[in-house]
C-alpha cells in the first residue's frame, strides 16, 4: 500500500511500549514496559513510546503525562515518542486518524471491509444463539454483508450510523509466539468479520495498532498476554497492508493479592503511589526483574543494569501474583 512507501528505513530492531492513558501505570504495566525495553536495548535497537489514546471516552490527558513521568522515573527511555519526536511523528494515536482513514478508504475500494449497521440488539440476539468457543461473544456471521443493497440501506437509515468490519478469510491462521510457541486461530470461526472502525467513528484498537506498528517499522512486539487472542486478527491486517509481520512476545500479566489482574482498583500498586511512599525506582525494578526470572531474588538495580541479564526464556509462563508479603518487602 502506498502509505507504507513513506516509512523510514530501519536498519536496527524496533520495539515499542504502547500504553493507553486510561489509568495510572501499575506494577504489571511497568513489568511489561521494562521487558519490552530490555529486549530492544539488548538488541541495540530503537525503542518507541506510543500513546494509544483513541477512545475519547476512556483516555485522560493527565494519565498520558503521568505515564511518561512514571516511565522516566523507573529509568526507561525511548528514542522516539510524543515528547521527543522522531521520523514517524506524531506518536499519539488521536493525532493519526488521517492515516487510519486512508487505509479504510483503500480497503473499502478493495472490498476487504464492509459497513455494518447491526444494532446492539441484533448482536445481542446473536449472543443468544448457540455458539462456539468465542472469547468475545459469538462470531459475527456477516449479517450486513449478506443483505441486498436496498435492505442494507433501509437498515442503515434506521440506525443512522455504521461500523466497518474486516472480512475474515476462512481457515486457520498460525504464527509462532516468542513466549507461547505455536498459536493457531480460525478467525472466521472464532470472531467472524471484526470491527476495525466503530459506529461512533472511533478507529478500533486492532486497526490502529497494526497501522502504527507497520508505519513505524516495529519488528518486536512484546506486550501483555491479554492481547494474545487479538494477534491472529492483527496478522490478517498486516497481510492486507502487505506489511511484514513483527515477532510477537506475549508476556504473562501480574495479578493482585486478590488473584485479579492488576488494574485501577489496585491503586497501591501504581508507580505513583509507590513513589509517593518513598520507594526507590531501583527497588521496584529489582522486584520486577525477580518476578521475571532475571534475578534470583529482588535487589535494587536500574533497568540499564539488567540489559545483559534479559532473556525471554527465563520468564515464568504463569501470571505473577503479587502477595501482601511482596508489597511489605517493597516497603508498603
Ligand atoms: N494500548 C494497549 C494497552 O494498553 C496495548 C497495545 C499493544 O501493546 O499492542 O493495553
Amino acid at each position: 500500500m502506498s502509505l507504507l512507501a513513506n516509512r523510514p528505513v530501519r536498519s536496527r530492531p524496533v520495539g515499542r511500549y504502547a500504553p493507553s492513558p486510561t489509568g495510572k501505570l501499575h506494577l504489571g504495566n511497568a513489568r511489561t514496559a521494562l521487558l519490552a525495553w530490555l529486549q530492544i536495548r539488548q538488541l541495540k535497537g530503537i525503542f518507541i513510546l506510543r500513546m494509544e489514546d483513541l477512545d475519547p471516552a476512556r483516555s485522560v490527558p493527565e494519565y498520558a503525562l503521568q505515564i511518561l513521568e512514571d516511565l522516566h522515573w523507573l529509568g526507561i527511555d525511548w528514542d522516539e515518542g510524543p515528547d521527543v519526536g522522531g521520523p514517524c511523528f506524531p506518536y499519539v494515536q488521536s493525532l493519526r486518524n488521517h492515516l487510519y482513514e486512508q487505509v479504510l478508504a483503500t480497503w473499502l475500494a478493495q472490498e476487504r471491509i464492509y459497513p455494518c449497521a447491526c444494532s446492539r440488539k441484533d448482536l445481542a440476539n446473536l449472543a443468544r444463539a448457540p455458539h462456539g468457543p468465542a472469547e468475545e461473544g459469538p462470531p459475527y456471521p456477516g449479517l450486513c454483508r449478506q443483505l441486498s443493497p436496498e435492505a442494507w440501506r433501509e437498515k442503515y437509515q434506521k440506525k443512522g450510523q455504521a461500523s466497518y468490519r474486516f472480512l475474515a478469510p476462512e481457515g486457520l491462521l498460525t504464527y509462532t509466539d516468542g513466549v507461547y510457541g505455536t498459536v493457531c486461530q480460525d478467525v472466521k470461526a472464532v470472531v467472524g468479520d471484526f470491527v476495525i472502525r466503530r459506529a461512533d467513528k472511533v478507529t478500533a484498537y486492532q486497526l490502529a495498532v497494526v497501522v502504527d506498528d507497520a508505519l513505524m517499522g516495529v519488528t518486536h512486539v512484546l506486550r501483555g498476554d491479554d492481547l494474545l487472542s487479538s494477534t491472529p486478527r492483527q496478522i490478517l491486517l498486516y497481510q492486507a497492508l502487505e506489511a511484514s509481520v513483527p515477532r510477537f512476545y506475549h508476556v504473562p500479566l501480574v495479578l493482585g493479592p486478590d488473584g485479579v489482574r492488576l488494574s485501577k482498583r489496585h491503586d497501591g500498586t501504581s508507580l505513583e503511589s509507590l513513589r509517593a511512599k518513598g520507594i526507590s525506582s531501583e527497588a521496584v525494578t529489582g522486584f520486577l526483574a525477580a518476578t521475571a526470572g532475571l534475578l534470583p531474588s529482588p535487589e535494587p538495580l536500574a533497568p540499564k543494569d539488567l540489559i545483559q541479564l534479559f532473556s525471554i526464556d527465563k520468564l515464568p509462563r504463569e501470571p505473577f501474583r503479587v502477595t501482601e508479603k511482596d508489597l511489605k518487602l517493597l516497603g508498603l
Side-chain angles (χ1 to χ4, degrees):
M1 190 182 283
S2 61
L3 194 61
L4 295 176
N6 302 325
R7 275 183 303 179
V9 178
R10 305 288 204 182
S11 50
R12 292 190 282 154
V14 182
R16 68 356 174 238
Y17 181 59
S20 301
T22 55
K24 297 175 194 167
L25 278 194
H26 52 61
L27 285 171
N29 309 128
R31 185 167 97 142
T32 304
L34 177 66
L35 294 173
W37 183 88
L38 288 173
Q39 181 181 53
I40 288 301
R41 289 291 176 246
Q42 191 182 64
L43 293 169
K44 303 202 184 317
I46 297 165
F47 195 65
I48 296 175
L49 196 283
R50 183 174 68 235
M51 202 48 74
E52 301 210 324
D53 61 343
L54 273 182
D55 191 340
R58 297 181 60 229
S59 300
V60 180
E62 288 74 27
Y63 285 142
L65 292 174
Q66 177 86 49
I67 288 171
L68 300 187
E69 202 179 312
D70 286 345
L71 291 171
H72 279 309
W73 173 76
L74 199 62
I76 288 179
D77 64 348
W78 42 94
D79 308 297
E80 300 173 18
D83 50 347
V84 294
C88 304
F89 199 78
Y91 293 85
V92 175
Q93 285 191 327
S94 58
L95 302 176
R96 298 175 62 81
N97 224 30
H98 57 291
L99 301 167
Y100 315 135
E101 290 297 320
Q102 231 174 297
V103 174
L104 286 170
T106 308
W107 285 352
L108 196 56
Q110 292 172 345
E111 298 184 8
R112 289 181 186 278
I113 63 174
Y114 62 91
C116 168
C118 282
S119 61
R120 276 180 207 281
K121 204 168 134 210
D122 296 330
L123 298 176
N125 284 339
L126 285 178
R128 274 194 280 279
H131 59 82
E135 290 165 24
E136 299 162 43
Y140 181 72
L143 298 177
C144 281
R145 189 165 48 92
Q146 289 146 11
L147 294 177
S148 67
E150 299 73 43
W152 190 84
R153 255 195 307 279
E154 198 180 311
K155 188 168 171 177
Y156 176 68
Q157 267 157 11
K158 268 195 215 134
K159 197 182 171 204
Q161 53 179 15
S163 61
Y164 279 109
R165 287 184 184 269
F166 185 84
L167 202 53
E170 313 254 335
L172 209 55
L173 193 138
T174 304
Y175 84 96
T176 307
D177 189 273
V179 175
Y180 275 80
T182 305
V183 176
C184 300
Q185 192 185 68
D186 184 333
V187 177
K188 186 95 181 169
V190 177
V191 276
D193 299 339
F194 52 95
V195 172
I196 60 169
R197 190 174 76 167
R198 296 180 349 197
D200 60 4
K201 295 195 163 49
V202 173
T203 307
Y205 156 70
Q206 309 291 358
L207 176 63
V209 76
V210 170
V211 171
D212 287 349
D213 281 340
L215 289 179
M216 295 180 182
V218 169
T219 56
H220 290 62
V221 172
L222 187 153
R223 61 187 176 191
D225 67 5
D226 51 331
L227 293 167
L228 185 70
S229 66
S230 288
T231 307
R233 264 171 282 176
Q234 294 177 11
I235 292 176
L236 293 176
L237 302 184
Y238 280 101
Q239 291 170 348
L241 280 177
E242 295 175 26
S244 48
V245 178
R247 296 183 201 179
F248 290 100
Y249 301 81
H250 286 93
V251 301
L253 299 178
V254 177
L255 312 179
D258 53 2
V260 177
R261 176 179 148 187
L262 284 190
S263 69
K264 273 172 246 167
R265 52 187 263 198
H266 302 91
D267 191 51
T269 70
S270 74
L271 294 199
E272 190 198 31
S273 62
L274 294 169
R275 184 163 35 152
K277 292 200 171 87
I279 296 164
S280 72
S281 61
E282 288 83 5
V284 173
T285 303
F287 169 73
L288 294 175
T291 73
L294 305 183
L295 294 174
S297 59
E299 60 175 294
L301 280 175
K304 64 176 171 29
D305 301 324
L306 293 162
I307 295 174
Q308 293 318 318
L309 295 176
F310 174 79
S311 164
I312 202 76
D313 298 333
K314 295 179 187 165
L315 184 71
R317 272 27 187 182
E318 318 72 51
F320 179 79
R321 184 164 173 170
V322 196
T323 61
E324 297 295 348
K325 199 172 130 215
D326 293 323
L327 295 176
K328 279 212 184 73
L329 273 177
L330 262 177
L332 285 176

